Amino acid sequence: NGISIDSNISSTINAGTIHYVFDLYDNVNKKNITDSDLTLSHERLLHLFVYDQGLKEFSHLHPTFENGQWVTDINLPKNGKYWIWAQGTLASDGDEFSSFENVSVTNGQNSNPIPTTLGDIRTSSDGNSVATISGKAKAGASSMLMVKFTRNDGTNPEISDYLGAFAHAVIVSL
């Protein structure tokens, strides 16, 4: 999509909370993307998704534009390879973009094991709430994914609007 991330971090960093400072660069128009170049998408100008190769560490952040750069704090507690994805919508034409960079984290907690396969049904829990996704996504094709929310204590889950929608899905590569 012609948008790249230029950040203040090296490709290998120590575990912990980092102050992530970055530019979004439009390689076609040869300029940095500012907050005025973006329009709201899911109630925010910019979304940042951070996840590890074991698919256990995940953050959804909303960087702010300060002093000519995008900034946010990211907690990276475990060793391993992480993806940092920026996603936004250009105000000029309404085109969505996503750009990423990788970083390796050392001197932290043991890394999460890398899954050998994800299978057709995936379940995750925070202890009481459980989300189960079934179906198979295919690159370059439409797919139907079914999401079911339950609770281990037998109560009905309360699903509320978050960032303009009842659910969001992020499908990423390893």
Side-chain angles (χ1 to χ4, degrees), residues 1-7 9 20 22-25 27 47-51 81-87 97-103 172-174:
N1 57 27
I3 309 295
S4 59
I5 294 176
D6 183 21
S7 75
I9 61 173
Y20 187 61
F22 64 102
D23 292 316
L24 291 172
Y25 188 72
N27 294 292
H47 301 268
L48 201 70
F49 303 99
V50 182
Y51 63 95
K81 184 176 179 181
Y82 285 78
W83 276 258
I84 302 173
W85 283 90
Q87 184 272 324
F97 67 87
S98 64
S99 302
F100 76 95
E101 75 171 327
N102 294 113
V103 63
V172 296
S173 62
L174 287 179

Side-chain angles (χ1 to χ4, degrees), residues 12-16 76-80 104-111:
T12 302
I13 60 171
N14 285 324
L76 304 168
K78 297 201 174 192
N79 295 335
S104 292
V105 174
T106 61
N107 299 317
Q109 301 168 19
N110 290 337
S111 61

Side-chain angles (χ1 to χ4, degrees), residues 31-101:
K31 70 177 201 105
N32 282 339
I33 294 174
T34 69
D35 55 343
S36 62
D37 294 316
L38 301 180
T39 189
L40 291 179
S41 172
H42 298 288
E43 300 179 358
R44 304 295 173 125
L45 288 178
L46 191 62
H47 301 268
L48 201 70
F49 303 99
V50 182
Y51 63 95
D52 74 321
Q53 201 168 14
L55 300 176
K56 296 291 184 187
E57 300 299 315
F58 178 82
S59 296
H60 177 180
L61 307 166
H62 302 107
T64 56
F65 194 72
E66 300 173 10
N67 301 317
Q69 291 187 296
W70 295 96
V71 298
T72 193
D73 290 333
I74 304 174
N75 185 29
L76 304 168
K78 297 201 174 192
N79 295 335
K81 184 176 179 181
Y82 285 78
W83 276 258
I84 302 173
W85 283 90
Q87 184 272 324
T89 301
L90 297 172
S92 60
D93 56 14
D95 279 350
E96 287 189 13
F97 67 87
S98 64
S99 302
F100 76 95
E101 75 171 327

Side-chain angles (χ1 to χ4, degrees), residues 30 52 76 95 120 130 148 160-161 173:
K30 307 294 185 208
D52 74 321
L76 304 168
D95 279 350
D120 290 340
V130 180
K148 181 179 181 180
S160 59
D161 188 321
S173 62

